Amino acid sequence: MRLVAAAAALLTVGAGLGLRAVAAGSVAKYGGDALYTVLLLALVVLVAPRLSPLRAAGVALAASWAVEFLQLSAVPAELSRHSTAARLVLGSTFNAPDLFWYAVGAAAGWLVQRALGVRQRASEVDEPVPLPPSPERGA
């Protein structure tokens, strides 16, 4: 699961960079917001792979919202003036519609994670599980 999460994180960063390269305006901004939360979701799964898809998506959404609400203070703007990394991670200005697009990203990530999890569980069911030796079976 961690390998899948790491790959998803890299793909998400690539998708974000690609989106910025081909789109502008609201599409790039709000698509980037959704991808920001998808990236956080991938990182949550990387760190805590046993979390349910819903909890992982909830943690990613809460972190995204926390960063957005932090922008109501001067801290992110000040840090962003001095660091490109801070600007990319923290942003600088609160924008209420971002909250909605973070939820879209969390929902999309949850759906993908759940679909992968269901597929994974289905393949595990198909594989026979070896039984341990027992006196009743002559072992």
Side-chain angles (χ1 to χ4, degrees):
M1 188 50 105
R2 285 193 166 132
L3 185 59
V4 172
L10 291 174
L11 285 172
T12 303
V13 169
L17 294 172
L19 181 64
R20 287 284 181 168
V22 300
S26 294
V27 171
K29 180 182 180 355
Y30 295 125
D33 288 344
L35 288 171
Y36 179 86
T37 303
V38 170
L39 175 59
L40 287 180
L41 175 55
L43 295 175
V44 167
V45 172
L46 186 64
V47 171
R50 295 189 186 268
L51 279 181
S52 72
L54 185 60
R55 283 186 187 214
V59 169
L61 180 59
S64 298
W65 282 353
V67 168
E68 191 66 29
F69 283 114
L70 181 64
Q71 293 171 0
L72 290 169
S73 75
V75 173
E78 182 61 30
L79 292 173
S80 293
R81 276 194 277 276
H82 302 290
S83 167
T84 301
R87 185 170 28 91
L88 292 172
V89 173
L90 299 176
S92 61
T93 307
F94 179 81
N95 184 30
D98 291 352
L99 299 170
F100 170 76
W101 291 102
Y102 295 143
V104 169
W110 171 75
L111 286 171
V112 169
Q113 187 186 5
R114 187 159 180 242
L116 290 174
V118 168
R119 188 173 302 139
Q120 182 182 10
R121 280 190 294 274
S123 67
E124 290 171 358
V125 170
D126 293 340
E127 296 176 18
V129 178
L131 296 173
S134 72
E136 294 84 32
R137 288 194 309 267

